Amino acid sequence: MKKTAVVLTLFLSFSVLGQKLSQNEKTKRWEYVQVFEIPNTPPKEIYKRILNNYIPKSDVIQSKIENEKIVIRYNFRMGTFKYGILTETFDIKENKLRWKIHNIVYLKAVSSLSKQKELDVTGDKKIIKKMNKLLPDAVKGVQDKIVSAGSDSDDKW
């Protein structure tokens, strides 16, 4: 019964949010923010799930405050001749996780002449569209590796 309620809540929250980058009203920076409810889960457990299940390599960690916050930054492929660099911030509280994607930089046609461009400065609509296409998979990754991880622990038999 708990699982059904959690799945329904997640489905509704994903539908409402639309999983798209938005421009922060105050800072005018492009970002994506989502708060996940993780019932009956202390900060220590959420923190452990992020470190053990989500972060691929320790060298992507920019900073961390035990059981409170983790910030990672890494490169990723956006498609043919397009690469990005972004920051993910995980703010952890009792039964909650706020996940934020921000500080997005991209590279087109990678060569020795290529220059990094900040999405916040350019507002490149093609890159925003590409990021919005990639967001559902990113959200699913957080959902699978952090939010839902270990939720079957109540089903011991």
Side-chain angles (χ1 to χ4, degrees):
M1 185 66 165
K2 282 185 189 178
K3 288 181 185 180
T4 306
V6 170
V7 169
L8 182 60
T9 303
L10 290 170
F11 175 77
L12 292 173
S13 65
F14 290 159
S15 299
V16 171
L17 291 172
Q19 297 178 336
K20 291 188 177 185
L21 289 178
S22 61
Q23 206 165 16
N24 184 302
E25 295 280 327
K26 292 179 183 175
T27 65
K28 302 298 182 203
R29 301 191 81 171
W30 287 94
E31 63 186 15
Y32 178 80
V33 180
Q34 184 164 344
V35 175
F36 294 93
E37 298 286 335
I38 311 174
N40 306 314
T41 311
K44 184 177 183 176
E45 174 62 24
I46 298 170
Y47 183 84
K48 188 174 91 175
R49 288 180 191 178
I50 296 167
L51 288 177
N52 295 339
N53 302 346
Y54 188 80
I55 298 176
K57 302 181 282 184
S58 62
D59 65 344
V60 300
I61 298 173
Q62 298 292 300
S63 66
K64 59 185 177 178
I65 301 171
E66 191 166 348
N67 303 327
E68 290 181 28
K69 184 177 203 149
I70 300 174
V71 179
I72 62 174
R73 186 154 177 85
Y74 58 90
N75 300 327
F76 66 101
R77 188 179 177 108
M78 298 177 73
T80 309
F81 302 115
K82 289 183 185 137
Y83 294 86
I85 303 169
L86 60 78
T87 301
E88 287 183 54
T89 301
F90 301 89
D91 292 304
I92 304 162
K93 289 189 177 180
E94 189 80 25
N95 304 317
K96 285 187 180 185
L97 169 68
R98 182 175 59 200
W99 175 57
K100 180 177 177 182
I101 294 177
H102 54 108
N103 295 337
I104 303 164
V105 175
Y106 63 96
L107 234 58
K108 289 184 184 177
V110 179
S111 73
S112 60
L113 300 175
S114 298
K115 292 184 181 175
Q116 292 183 349
K117 299 176 184 178
E118 289 185 35
L119 185 58
D120 296 333
V121 174
T122 68
D124 188 322
K125 291 187 186 337
K126 288 181 182 178
I127 299 299
I128 293 168
K129 185 177 178 179
K130 184 65 176 174
M131 286 294 298
N132 286 336
K133 274 185 157 181
L134 297 171
L135 262 174
D137 287 338
V139 171
K140 185 176 180 340
V142 171
Q143 176 65 41
D144 292 347
K145 295 176 181 178
I146 302 169
V147 177
S148 297
S151 63
D152 294 332
S153 61
D154 295 338
D155 298 339
K156 294 178 182 172
W157 43 288

